[in-house]
Amino acid sequence: MSEKRKGTVISREEFINSGAIVKEHYEGLLVASDRAKSAYDIGIQINDEQVMLVDSASPQDIRHRILNWAPLVAQYQRQYGK
């Protein structure tokens, strides 16, 4: 997903297919591994079909970033969900 920018809204299917491993750590917060960057992409599912790419993190920083984004999921879903 390296060609995608933060704030980009993509289909949930595209986000899921972009990573070797995709996991929903908190409801609405998706994390996909990006082997090309040796990093993780973080997305917020804003509705049933779309995910907003919100961040990227190294393996060392991923837990910290997940904890930072988890409280913001509902806010983003209200603001950007359709």
Side-chain angles (χ1 to χ4, degrees), residues 18-34:
S18 70
I21 299 171
V22 176
K23 190 170 185 179
E24 188 168 13
H25 286 270
Y26 294 92
E27 188 171 344
L29 186 65
L30 301 172
V31 177
S33 64
D34 186 335

Side-chain angles (χ1 to χ4, degrees), residues 71-81:
L72 300 174
V73 170
Q75 175 186 336
Y76 272 70
Q77 288 173 331
R78 281 191 305 272
Q79 187 173 351
Y80 297 103

Side-chain angles (χ1 to χ4, degrees), residues 4-22:
K4 301 292 183 200
R5 293 179 179 213
K6 293 177 187 173
T8 300
V9 176
I10 60 174
S11 73
R12 185 174 193 277
E13 183 177 330
E14 182 180 351
F15 186 85
I16 289 171
N17 290 335
S18 70
I21 299 171
V22 176

Side-chain angles (χ1 to χ4, degrees), residues 53-71:
L53 180 62
V54 294
D55 207 349
S56 237
S58 68
Q60 296 82 8
D61 292 336
I62 189 63
R63 285 189 176 165
H64 180 266
R65 299 280 178 88
I66 289 170
L67 292 174
N68 284 342
W69 281 105

